[in-house]
């Protein structure tokens, strides 16, 4: 998958500025794709140049003008081809997991701090994902929403993000607890 596909998918929900798209990536897309605002603006320019999105200027009286983008037929064709292509298996490159792998030869204190931080980040993301899902559902419960809504894709990706973040939070907490317990029972080993 390329960033272009994530941007096209995010733009399916409406007409957005680069700033709005960055906010969408921070909350709704971050569970399956990370991109910095600079990467998003660069990708928007490429997509517009290739005709997969169209942009238009919005004149604002009391603020600077803004540019909003929508997906074109060419963009939908690109997403259709992408959806038909075989998906690659999930691969994870996580520097914190490498640090835990090597923990028996390291001072555990900085790794423990990072495990705690990652658990807190996962908890915060879970709260954001929950807000997003509640916003999408409105007054409907989850089952009714999934059965009757016209668009369920964003909600389903939120669900996946919740599961991943919950697993990450739980792994970080249990790993940190285990490492602290081992350090308490083997104080002289230190490393």
């Amino acid at each position: 998958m390329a960033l272009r596909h994530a941007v096209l998918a995010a733009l399916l929900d409406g007409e957005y500025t680069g700033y709005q798209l960055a906010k969408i990536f921070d909350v709704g897309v971050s569970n399956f794709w990370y991109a910095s605002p600079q990467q998003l603006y660069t990708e928007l320019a490429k997509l517009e140049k290739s005709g997969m999105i169209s942009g238009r200027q919005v004149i604002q009286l009391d603020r600077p003008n803004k540019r909003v983008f929508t997906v074109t037929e060419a963009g939908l064709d690109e997403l259709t081809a992408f959806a038909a292509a075989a998906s690659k298996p999930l691969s994870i490159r996580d520097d914190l997991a490498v640090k835990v792998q090597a923990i028996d030869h390291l001072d555990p204190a900085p790794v423990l701090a990072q495990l705690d931080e990652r658990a807190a980040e996962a908890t915060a993301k879970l709260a954001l994902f929950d807000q997003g899902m509640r916003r999408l559902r409105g007054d409907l419960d989850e089952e009714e929403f999934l059965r009757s809504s016209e668009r369920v894709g964003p909600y389903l990706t939120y669900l996946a993000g919740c599961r991943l973040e919950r697993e990450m939070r739980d792994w970080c907490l249990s790993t940190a607890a285990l490492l602290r317990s081992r350090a308490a029972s083997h104080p002289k080993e230190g490393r």
Side-chain angles (χ1 to χ4, degrees):
M1 176 168 83
L3 176 56
R4 71 178 25 209
H5 300 117
V7 170
L8 289 168
L11 287 173
L12 290 174
D13 286 329
E15 191 175 57
Y16 297 113
T17 65
Y19 176 79
Q20 290 169 319
L21 191 62
K23 292 297 178 196
I24 290 167
F25 266 70
D26 276 349
V27 177
V29 179
S30 65
N31 59 351
F32 61 89
W33 193 275
Y34 171 78
S36 70
Q38 295 84 357
Q39 290 171 310
L40 290 173
Y41 284 107
T42 299
E43 193 61 38
L44 285 170
K46 289 178 187 176
L47 288 167
E48 187 173 24
K49 185 176 182 181
S50 69
M52 291 187 209
I53 64 172
S54 63
R56 69 179 180 85
Q57 190 85 344
V58 176
I59 308 298
Q60 301 186 108
L61 297 177
D62 296 335
R63 292 183 274 167
N65 296 339
K66 63 182 180 180
R67 191 154 177 76
V68 293
F69 301 94
T70 56
V71 177
T72 63
E73 284 300 318
L76 285 173
D77 291 345
E78 174 68 19
L79 278 174
T80 299
F82 170 70
S87 293
K88 295 178 183 176
L90 176 66
S91 64
I92 298 173
R93 293 185 212 169
D94 185 8
D95 61 344
L96 183 55
V98 173
K99 294 170 186 180
V100 171
Q101 170 79 16
I103 196 69
D104 300 316
H105 303 281
L106 306 173
D107 174 6
V111 178
L112 286 167
Q114 292 173 54
L115 286 164
D116 293 340
E117 183 180 323
R118 180 76 62 85
E121 290 169 359
T123 299
K125 276 184 148 181
L126 282 166
L128 286 173
F129 293 163
D130 185 57
Q131 283 178 340
M133 290 189 312
R134 281 186 283 136
R135 180 183 42 79
L136 289 172
R137 276 195 321 260
D139 294 333
L140 301 176
D141 67 17
E142 185 171 273
E143 185 179 320
E144 176 66 23
F145 173 80
L146 290 172
R147 189 174 50 250
S148 65
S149 178
E150 286 185 30
R151 276 199 80 223
V152 297
Y155 195 90
L156 293 172
T157 59
Y158 272 132
L159 284 175
C162 284
R163 289 178 180 156
L164 289 171
E165 291 300 331
R166 197 173 297 113
E167 285 295 322
M168 179 53 71
R169 179 200 60 202
D170 294 349
W171 176 77
C172 288
L173 293 173
S174 65
T175 299
L178 174 74
L179 293 174
R180 284 187 175 98
S181 173
R182 287 176 55 90
S185 64
H186 308 306
K188 293 183 181 179
E189 292 177 13
R191 289 184 185 221

